[in-house]
Amino acid sequence: MKTMRICASFCALALAIAGCGDDDDTTLVPDGGAADASTDATTMVDAGAPAEHLAQTDLYSNFAARTINPALIEYIPAHALWSDGALKRRWMSLPAGAKIDTSDMNHWRFPIGTRFYKEFAAPGGNGIYETRLIEVTGVDEFRMVSFVWNAAQTDAMATPDGALNVNGSQHDAPSSADCRTCHRGEPGRILGFSAMQLSSPGMGGSSLLSTLTAQNKLSNAPASSAGYPVPGNATESAAIGYLHANCGHCHNPDTPVYNQTQMVLRYDITATTVATTNVYTTAVGQALMSASYTSNPAHAAETRITPGNHMLSAIWVRMNARGNNDQMPPQPFTELPDDAATGGGLAKVAAWIDSLTP
Ligand code: HEC
Ligand code: HEC
């Protein structure tokens, strides 16, 4: 019965998302995996047709030499999603002269033609697994697909069905339907390139938010040059930022998950103190809604966050669970959301909870 429960909730989520029909992430892609593998990777597609090979996109200025297009913006979000130990790089391609719509500073929208790329590589220079693309193809229309690299690293092909154990590794590339499960949690679909995520000192020393403002790439400038970092001391901001990046794309009012929990782990930039963040107001000292979880006597004493005790806090206990219906993120995700990309998510969340006064 327990297995049924999680499937009921997770699958209902996936179905609810798939049923929305407001955006179109898969139909732009030719039938999954059916493209002719012998196609010359350097052949450019017709104008407007979706790229089937990564070499046909604007990520590289020289694909054979693996030279990244210098017109692209490389960035690192302040708080990253777990990645099963893979190394990640991210780039953004903004159409020339276009601006990001920041009129709602809390939810950025990107002009048609914008592309985001995220690369997942094996540690130790042992090859790229996949490069993910989100392209804004129309008004509220997006293409989301993974380009999976071959073992020889000579080509990466759009793979809308996803791929398990890429090139014999433990790394799985998600399907285009899977992309939507998470990216649907933000109206503009982009999760890690936001006012908060770009407010920390970035790759060049100053924050990318300041750089984009100076380059006149934002429709509305930030209220102050300090930007919108997560509030609190180092312990507090690390945990709240972690929960935003790893849980907030499902746990926010724009998703079907909200109806089941009314718990919000997404950080809204309007909160400038810890006590006014969504996670604080909807989780600290709050009773659980998930009756099937608390009906297990082992969890009866838990609240969402029990100040001073992470072992009695469902947020931490469910992050730390794997292979059962308790685990968060829910199945089918397999690894603990705790790898190097997150800087140790479990420890960050435990430290914050334990620092709260009971
Ligand atoms: C488990 C949830 C999840 C799934 C599944 C997922 N993503 Fe993401 N993705 C995120 C989060 C969270 C970020 C931002 C944090 C980061 O980059 O570490 C992100 C970042 C990205 C970025 C950089 C732009 C941005 O939104 O920040 C791209 C491109 C991307 N994902 C593409 C994809 C594609 C394509 C798929 C499916 C093949 C996919 N993702 C599946 C959660 C997910
Ligand atoms: C892919 C979407 C998704 C992601 C990502 C996700 N969750 Fe959930 N979460 C759900 C769903 C659906 C439920 C309701 C069903 C259940 O309780 O299993 C839920 C329920 C919960 C609950 C129970 C709330 C209550 O009141 O009973 C907690 C606690 C929780 N999640 C914590 C987390 C944490 C912490 C993370 C990040 C590490 C996370 N979730 C990431 C989908 C998600």
Side-chain angles (χ1 to χ4, degrees):
M1 278 320 282
K2 262 194 126 199
T3 315
M4 294 302 291
R5 179 183 73 82
I6 191 73
C7 185
S9 42
F10 189 80
C11 302
L13 163 70
L15 283 173
I17 288 164
C20 280
D22 68 328
D23 63 358
D24 190 0
D25 306 328
T26 47
T27 50
L28 282 169
V29 182
D31 282 347
D36 180 3
S38 67
T39 306
D40 179 353
T42 58
T43 308
M44 293 307 285
V45 284
D46 294 339
E52 288 178 43
H53 298 267
L54 192 61
Q56 294 162 335
T57 70
D58 68 346
L59 176 56
Y60 296 96
S61 54
N62 183 332
F63 183 78
R66 298 291 184 276
T67 311
I68 298 292
N69 180 350
L72 268 54
I73 299 168
E74 184 168 6
Y75 69 97
I76 301 177
H79 303 278
L81 176 72
W82 100 100
S83 63
D84 293 357
L87 303 180
K88 298 196 275 195
R89 289 179 73 187
R90 308 162 183 84
W91 299 269
M92 187 237 204
S93 169
L94 189 66
K99 287 189 188 189
I100 302 166
D101 177 357
T102 56
S103 51
D104 180 352
M105 196 53 81
N106 210 20
H107 296 285
W108 288 7
R109 305 295 296 248
F110 297 86
I112 294 169
T114 304
R115 294 184 199 89
F116 279 88
Y117 299 93
K118 181 156 141 182
E119 174 190 287
F120 291 73
N126 289 319
I128 306 173
Y129 300 130
E130 54 160 331
T131 306
R132 299 182 188 175
L133 167 72
I134 299 178
E135 179 173 0
V136 184
T137 53
V139 177
D140 286 333
E141 286 182 8
F142 308 89
R143 182 190 188 202
M144 302 193 203
V145 72
S146 171
F147 291 82
V148 177
W149 285 76
N150 63 10
Q153 300 279 292
T154 52
D155 190 13
M157 279 204 53
T159 310
D161 290 340
L164 296 176
N165 301 114
V166 174
N167 297 328
S169 73
Q170 296 289 307
H171 184 85
D172 299 336
S175 68
S176 292
D178 292 338
C179 314
R180 301 174 74 181
T181 307
C182 294
H183 283 272
R184 179 71 177 74
E186 180 61 50
R189 298 298 183 273
I190 300 305
L191 294 169
F193 194 96
S194 65
M196 181 277 277
Q197 289 283 26
L198 303 182
S199 283
S200 301
M203 305 179 72
S206 66
S207 79
L208 188 51
L209 190 68
S210 312
T211 307
L212 294 170
T213 309
Q215 293 173 344
N216 203 20
K217 291 194 163 124
L218 308 181
S219 69
N220 297 65
S224 95
S225 59
Y228 306 90
V230 176
N233 63 30
T235 304
E236 294 161 335
S237 59
I240 296 167
Y242 167 85
L243 292 169
H244 168 95
N246 288 271
C247 322
H249 43 270
C250 284
H251 288 288
N252 79 61
D254 292 325
T255 73
V257 175
Y258 182 72
N259 297 332
Q260 294 180 58
T261 65
Q262 282 150 44
M263 177 177 75
V264 182
L265 302 181
R266 181 184 192 276
Y267 170 71
D268 282 4
I269 57 163
T270 46
T272 54
T273 62
V274 171
T276 54
T277 56
N278 288 323
V279 55
Y280 197 98
T281 58
T282 68
V284 174
Q286 300 295 319
L288 292 161
M289 285 181 65
S290 193
S292 47
Y293 177 78
T294 41
S295 64
N296 177 344
H299 303 302
E302 292 172 22
T303 66
R304 288 174 173 172
I305 288 181
T306 302
N309 193 336
H310 67 272
M311 298 293 285
L312 288 181
S313 301
I315 283 195
W316 188 90
V317 173
R318 297 192 69 168
M319 276 174 71
N320 192 41
R322 263 324 96 168
N324 59 37
N325 300 332
D326 296 345
Q327 74 165 58
M328 281 292 142
Q331 290 168 333
F333 302 108
T334 49
E335 303 297 316
L336 281 179
D338 185 51
D339 68 352
T342 68
L346 280 167
K348 285 180 175 177
V349 173
W352 177 48
I353 294 175
D354 293 344
S355 78
L356 293 167
T357 311

